[in-house]
């Protein structure tokens, strides 16, 4: 039972990332009808927003420290972050320690702006083009984004630590009555799951309970009729593209301490997340979230040593096997709508 609980926790952790990226993919497809293969790159850029914000907080200048001497007895030159000058050393250290959560405030406007630029500058020209054209152009855009990141940040992963308060692990075993240290799980992965749940809930609440969201949902169902009512649905869909980009970016920001950001991480998640969207049903937001967590849990259980001893390598293909089975039995996915990508 302890192994099962641990794998469920691992699955929820992986599923959180899959669900967040798939949610943004589905938002874009459901509103604009665009298959956006650059969405994984937005996840990567979000992670590098955390890296950039951390670097900004640690920018420093050289000062002479008379209290410290080198081997010749001369005062030493030391690097002091500018943030110490502005807020003091204690507050500055706290801000640097909490750089990843604070970078959310930096990432939101950056990701929304990138989303607007992508949609207005490129993707709007492919609305009425075949899906194959959309896939090619957005996949090419993803490669360009990855190469830009590689040029400025290098090819090696960049460690981005979580706040020291969440550096340890939580003892689930003691909570559930098991022996201590039977089921322990990193605090930050639990934080990531909770964060994903809040973001997903916020997106659904926004679409369900706000006037803006209601108009967007109506536009997703019948774009022409909403336009005939005098509503500028294109403007609202552009805003939704920015929101979808922000969701992917926030997923990347909070994932940075789990998987050190590197220029290729967007591609790693893109393919899996697109499979998640297909399994959940193209255009179905609840389907994307459900499939994300379902496939994350299945992948986690397939990674158990007991399973790998029986079927070596099954953890690498389990998601694709499930996708094949789902699409053979339910061609529209778990919660797909009739007529989506069937023309």
């Amino acid at each position: 039972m302890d192994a099962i609980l641990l794998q469920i926790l691992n699955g929820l952790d992986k599923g959180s990332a899959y669900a967040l990226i798939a949610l943004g993919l589905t938002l874009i497809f459901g509103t604009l009808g665009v298959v956006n293969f650059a969405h994984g790159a937005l996840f990567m850029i979000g992670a590098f927003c955390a890296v950039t914000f951390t670097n900004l907080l640690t920018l420093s200048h050289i000062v002479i420290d008379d209290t410290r001497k080198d081997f010749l007895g001369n005062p030493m030159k030391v690097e002091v972050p500018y943030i110490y000058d502005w807020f003091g050393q204690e507050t500055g250290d706290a801000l640097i320690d909490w750089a990843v959560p604070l970078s959310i405030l930096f990432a939101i406007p950056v990701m929304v702006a990138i989303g607007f630029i992508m949609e207005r500058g490129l993707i709007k020209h492919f609305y009425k083009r075949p899906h194959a054209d959309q896939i090619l152009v957005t996949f090419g855009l993803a490669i360009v984004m990855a190469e830009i990141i590689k040029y400025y940040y290098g090819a090696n992963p960049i460690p981005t630590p979580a706040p020291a308060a969440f550096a340890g692990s939580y003892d689930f075993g003691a909570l559930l009555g098991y022996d201590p240290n039977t089921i322990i799980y990193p605090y930050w992965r639990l934080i990531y799951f909770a964060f994903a749940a809040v973001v997903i809930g916020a997106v659904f609440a926004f679409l369900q309970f706000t006037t803006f969201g209601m108009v967007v949902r109506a536009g997703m169902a019948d774009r022409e009729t909403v336009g005939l009512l005098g509503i500028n649905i294109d403007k609202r869909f552009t805003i939704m593209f920015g929101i979808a980009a922000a969701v992917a970016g926030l997923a990347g920001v909070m994932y940075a301490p789990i998987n050190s950001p590197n220029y290729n991480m967007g591609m790693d998640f893109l393919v899996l997340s697109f499979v998640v969207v297909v399994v959940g049903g193209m255009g179905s937001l609840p389907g994307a979230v459900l499939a994300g967590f379902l496939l994350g849990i299945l992948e986690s259980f397939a990674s158990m040593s007991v399973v790998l001893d029986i079927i070596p390598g099954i953890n690498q293909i389990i998601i694709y096997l499930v996708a094949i089975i789902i699409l053979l039995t339910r061609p529209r996915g778990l919660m797909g709508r009739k007529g989506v990508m069937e023309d």
Side-chain angles (χ1 to χ4, degrees):
M1 181 60 69
D2 57 336
I4 291 175
L5 289 174
L6 186 60
Q7 294 309 317
I8 290 175
L9 289 172
N10 283 330
L12 292 176
D13 168 32
K14 293 180 179 179
S16 298
Y18 295 159
L20 282 174
I21 302 175
L23 180 64
L25 270 169
T26 305
L27 273 174
I28 292 172
F29 181 80
T31 54
L32 302 173
V34 174
V35 182
N36 180 25
F37 259 56
H39 205 70
L42 296 175
F43 173 81
M44 170 201 64
I45 292 175
F48 276 94
C49 281
V51 173
T52 302
F53 189 74
T54 302
N55 291 342
L56 290 174
L57 289 181
T58 53
L59 283 176
S60 60
H61 60 100
I62 303 295
V63 299
I64 303 297
D65 188 353
D66 294 326
T67 64
R68 302 170 63 184
K69 308 291 184 179
D70 61 17
F71 68 98
L72 294 175
N74 299 317
M76 291 185 64
K77 295 180 179 180
V78 296
E79 292 189 2
V80 176
Y82 286 105
I83 200 167
Y84 285 6
D85 299 334
W86 303 333
F87 300 103
Q89 183 172 349
E90 184 177 351
T91 303
D93 285 337
L95 291 173
I96 293 172
D97 183 40
W98 286 80
V100 171
L102 290 175
S103 61
I104 290 174
L105 303 176
F106 172 74
I108 289 175
V110 170
M111 297 308 303
V112 170
I114 290 174
F116 283 178
I117 292 170
M118 281 178 58
E119 195 275 337
R120 289 289 88 190
L122 178 65
I123 291 178
K124 73 172 185 179
H125 302 292
F126 288 84
Y127 288 159
K128 297 181 180 180
R129 300 280 287 273
H131 291 304
D133 291 355
Q134 298 171 359
I135 291 172
L136 286 173
V137 72
T138 54
F139 188 75
L141 181 60
I143 293 174
V144 170
M145 289 181 175
E147 290 302 316
I148 291 174
I149 292 294
K150 181 181 178 182
Y151 177 80
Y152 284 103
Y153 293 90
N156 297 323
I158 302 175
T160 309
F166 302 110
S169 298
Y170 183 70
D171 192 342
F172 269 99
L175 178 67
L176 299 176
Y178 290 91
D179 294 332
N181 298 323
T182 301
I183 307 174
I184 58 174
Y185 206 71
Y187 281 117
W188 190 256
R189 291 179 180 266
L190 296 173
I191 293 293
Y192 190 80
F193 170 68
F195 175 80
V198 170
V199 172
I200 291 170
V203 170
F204 276 93
F206 175 74
L207 291 173
Q208 189 70 31
F209 300 114
T210 67
T211 302
F212 187 99
M214 293 177 186
V215 172
V216 168
R217 286 189 290 116
M220 292 169 68
D222 192 340
R223 181 171 182 160
E224 292 184 0
T225 300
V226 173
L228 290 173
L229 294 175
I231 298 173
N232 188 347
I233 195 64
D234 290 339
K235 181 179 179 180
R236 292 173 185 259
F237 282 175
T238 299
I239 294 173
M240 287 307 301
F241 195 103
I243 292 174
V247 169
L250 293 180
V253 167
M254 296 296 283
Y255 205 76
I258 297 175
N259 185 12
S260 297
N262 66 87
Y263 77 99
N264 205 41
M265 68 186 301
M267 291 297 183
D268 295 339
F269 275 91
L270 172 65
V271 176
L272 293 174
S273 298
F274 192 74
V275 172
V276 168
V277 171
V278 172
V279 170
M282 294 296 290
S284 172
L285 297 177
V289 175
L290 173 64
F293 285 110
L294 174 63
L295 294 181
I297 291 173
L298 287 175
E299 185 181 16
S300 180
F301 275 100
S303 300
M304 296 176 68
S305 58
V306 175
V307 177
L308 292 175
D309 289 341
I310 300 173
I311 312 176
I314 186 63
N315 59 317
Q316 302 294 324
I317 62 173
I318 183 65
I319 287 182
Y320 305 102
L321 290 177
V322 172
I324 291 171
I325 294 171
I326 292 292
L327 294 179
L328 284 175
T329 56
R330 296 181 62 87
R332 297 190 183 106
L334 294 175
M335 303 179 71
R337 304 194 308 271
K338 182 178 179 180
V340 178
M341 289 194 79
E342 294 181 355
D343 51 338

